[in-house]
Each structure stands twice: as C-alpha cells, then as structure tokens.
Amino acid sequence: MFDETTEKICKELGIEIWHPKAKLRQRCDNKMETVRIGNKAGVPSVPNTAGPARTYEELLCSARKAGLGADLVVQTAFGDSGKTTFFIASDVFKHGMFGAD
C-alpha cells in the first residue's frame, strides 16, 4: 500500500496519511512478529512456538520444547496467508513420504 517513499511524497505535498508508518506495518506483517506481540500482550493465537527449522527433526525438536504434538500447522514468516501455511501430519513422515526416513 504505502511505503516510506509514498509517505515522503505525501508529506511534501501536505497530505496526511491515516495509517501507521510503513516501517511499523512492515514489521507487523511478519507472522512471527505478530505471534510475539500477541504472546507479550497475553493474547496468544494458539499454542505456538517460533523459530527456525531447516529439517523435520529441527521442527519436531522446537515443537517438543513448546509442549506441542507432532501434528503441526507451520507458517513461514512472510507471504500470503494460505500459500505459506502447511499442515504436517506426523504419520506422513512415519511412512517415509517426502524423503523422510
């Protein structure tokens, strides 16, 4: 929508923008940051954990530490909802699908 360049042009033209600053909107557009903000405010979205996971085992390790099960909903930090959300059932990996052992 509006970025910092648009904000600068609007300011030069005397146009007031009634939105949070672009920098704040971009920060809050990060799904992991949104989860952190909700957790700090005492409003968790669901039982969750945030962190990097390059492998299925790293993902399970993070899930175990957070007290989550092995059937997971995983979201990447950036991207359109629905395109970056993955539903992972533990039995898919138990049967060796997707290259897992």
Side-chain angles (χ1 to χ4, degrees):
M1 185 187 251
F2 294 110
D3 60 13
E4 284 134 344
T5 302
T6 306
E7 289 176 345
K8 182 181 176 192
I9 292 168
C10 288
K11 185 175 181 178
E12 290 170 359
L13 295 173
I15 298 170
E16 184 179 358
I17 300 174
W18 288 17
H19 291 283
K21 297 284 184 191
K23 187 174 181 177
L24 176 61
R25 287 194 321 274
Q26 290 165 358
R27 179 175 157 231
C28 290
D29 191 36
N30 177 325
K31 292 173 194 148
M32 289 176 26
E33 184 64 21
T34 304
V35 167
R36 284 187 195 108
I37 291 168
N39 288 345
K40 281 185 177 183
V43 187
S45 52
V46 295
N48 63 72
T49 188
R54 290 172 289 283
T55 67
Y56 180 62
E57 287 306 316
E58 286 181 7
L59 178 65
L60 283 181
C61 183
S62 292
R64 281 188 206 109
K65 286 180 184 175
L68 303 175
D71 294 328
L72 304 168
V73 177
V74 176
Q75 286 191 307
T76 61
F78 296 97
D80 296 330
S81 295
K83 294 181 182 177
T84 58
T85 302
F86 304 91
F87 297 86
I88 301 175
S90 58
D91 62 342
V92 170
F93 288 92
K94 286 179 188 174
H95 299 293
M97 299 175 85
F98 301 112
D101 294 333

